Amino acid sequence: MPILIDSITKSFGEETVFEDFFAELPDRGCVCYFGPSGSGKTTLFNILAGLVAPDSGTITFPAGAKVSFAFQEDRLLPWISAAENVEQ
């Protein structure tokens, strides 16, 4: 079962990043999103990871699915230990 991104809309203030965005991600393999700076790549992955909520729309994951990604820069949470950062 693929990951289904259905009609996602996300705005920050007056800036709309996504409006009725739809995508179907395969259940196997790798997916790469390319685009210029400011096109919403990071926002999309933050929504998929549950770090940011969409304003509207739904995301359907296969049962038992886990989402992870690597940041482009160091991204440690300073309020927890090194071991807890790894566990997160």
Side-chain angles (χ1 to χ4, degrees), residues 24-80:
E24 189 172 305
L25 306 178
D27 59 350
R28 296 180 190 270
C30 296
V31 175
C32 296
Y33 273 89
F34 294 94
S37 180
S39 64
K41 300 178 302 292
T42 299
T43 299
L44 175 62
F45 291 115
N46 284 337
I47 290 171
L48 287 170
L51 300 174
V52 172
D55 298 332
S56 63
T58 60
I59 300 174
T60 305
F61 293 95
K66 294 182 180 182
V67 175
S68 62
F69 62 94
F71 293 101
Q72 294 178 1
E73 67 278 331
D74 294 341
R75 195 59 71 125
L76 296 177
L77 305 175
W79 55 87
I80 61 177

Side-chain angles (χ1 to χ4, degrees), residues 2 4 14-15 22 29 35 40 44-45 48 77 83-84 86 88:
L4 181 62
E14 298 293 319
E15 183 70 27
F22 175 88
L44 175 62
F45 291 115
L48 287 170
L77 305 175
E84 289 169 322
V86 172
Q88 297 292 321

